[in-house]
Amino acid sequence: MRRLLVAGQINGQLGKIDLLKKAAHDLKADLVVFTGGVVDAEQRDRSSEGELLRLWEQFFDAIGSIAESGVLTAVLPGPADAPLRHFLRLGMYEEGEHPKLHLIHATLLEDTDMAICGVGGEITEHEELSEHRVRTSRSLAEYYLRKLWESDQSRKVLVLSQPPTGQLGGQHGNRIIGEFLDSYHPSLCLVGGPTEHRGWQRVAHTLVINPGRLVDNSVAWYDAAKHADQQVDLLYL
């Protein structure tokens, strides 16, 4: 598991998944990671539950076609992909249809030498139940991720829908994520984040990548086989 294509935030523009599928094929990706953001907050608030369900069904059908082509595909919900229970239910159905498609929200995925797990939506200090936003408390997120830290795989990959504060997040950054990196030191951390802050940086032993928004045609490519300072390419599809 060496070549990863990372993307997130289509904000309702399902056609962007076709671009992602083509890029996965052309680049010969081993793994595609979607960091969340089928819809944004504005679209979520103006859409009925029925409209959201149809959109998520279409999303999972589209991203499932990437898995159907033979590429391992991992998906998180974004902050506005709520109610979470409906998003996960639809995703679980598509997992049954596409064995290489995996929801990684609070779920460990292991393949070859890699363990990958994520927490979708916003991570907050305290529990904040909401039908309109995906939110997870710090303590619950730590509980979800415990299997990642306990894994025997040599490379641990943490996937989150929000970026840390600083270079990769700006005003959109979440300080709790930086504290997770300081505490757990995953090999790789893939985050959702604004395109204007897309990029990568090393935080101690962790390589953190913000691919930007797929709605802007922005993605990131990671190749573990390359030298450390050449592993990440930021691409526009």
Side-chain angles (χ1 to χ4, degrees):
M1 187 67 64
R2 293 184 175 275
R3 300 181 301 274
L4 279 65
L5 183 60
V6 188
Q9 301 180 70
I10 60 170
N11 298 354
Q13 296 191 27
L14 294 169
K16 298 298 182 179
I17 301 299
D18 292 333
L19 295 178
L20 190 63
K21 181 178 180 180
K22 183 178 186 303
H25 176 269
D26 292 347
L27 293 167
K28 297 180 171 59
D30 297 316
L31 171 66
V32 169
V33 179
F34 184 80
T35 61
V38 179
V39 298
D40 60 9
E42 181 180 345
Q43 185 175 18
R44 169 65 186 82
D45 291 342
R46 70 170 184 262
S47 300
S48 69
E49 189 168 289
E51 290 170 333
L52 290 169
L53 290 173
R54 286 190 293 274
L55 185 60
W56 291 334
E57 286 174 350
Q58 293 168 344
F59 164 77
F60 279 115
D61 185 58
I63 206 160
S65 71
I66 299 177
E68 190 67 29
S69 71
V71 181
L72 195 65
T73 306
V75 175
L76 273 187
D81 295 324
L84 179 60
R85 63 183 183 279
H86 293 323
F87 184 93
L88 296 180
R89 175 176 58 82
L90 292 170
M92 288 170 60
Y93 174 81
E94 289 297 330
E95 283 181 324
E97 296 292 310
H98 307 290
K100 285 187 171 290
L101 176 66
H102 298 272
L103 287 172
I104 55 168
H105 176 74
T107 302
L108 182 69
L109 170 64
E110 293 182 313
D111 191 88
T112 59
D113 62 342
M114 178 181 291
I116 180 169
C117 186
V119 177
E122 304 171 21
I123 299 178
T124 59
E125 284 293 350
H126 306 288
E127 193 78 20
E128 294 186 34
L129 299 178
S130 172
E131 287 288 287
H132 299 280
R133 299 291 182 268
V134 178
R135 291 177 174 142
T136 304
S137 68
R138 176 202 288 263
S139 58
L140 189 56
E142 290 175 335
Y143 175 78
Y144 287 157
L145 294 170
R146 73 196 190 286
K147 292 296 184 182
L148 178 61
W149 317 131
E150 295 169 358
S151 172
D152 292 330
Q153 301 299 325
S154 59
R155 286 190 291 163
K156 295 178 172 61
V157 181
L158 173 62
V159 186
L160 302 165
S161 295
Q162 293 180 298
T165 56
Q167 173 185 329
L168 300 180
Q171 65 178 354
H172 302 278
N174 185 332
R175 65 173 180 79
I176 296 175
I177 291 167
E179 292 170 8
F180 278 5
L181 299 178
D182 290 339
S183 297
Y184 299 110
H185 310 293
S187 308
L188 190 62
C189 181
L190 310 175
V191 302
T195 303
E196 57 267 29
H197 288 285
R198 77 177 192 150
W200 61 273
Q201 67 176 144
R202 292 195 180 273
V203 179
H205 301 291
T206 303
L207 176 62
V208 187
I209 302 174
N210 166 14
R213 297 185 179 101
L214 183 53
V215 72
D216 301 323
N217 295 343
S218 180
V219 299
W221 174 250
Y222 169 79
D223 188 342
K226 292 186 176 182
H227 189 272
D229 62 357
Q230 299 176 330
Q231 290 178 331
V232 183
D233 284 319
L234 301 172
L235 308 175
Y236 281 109
L237 303 183

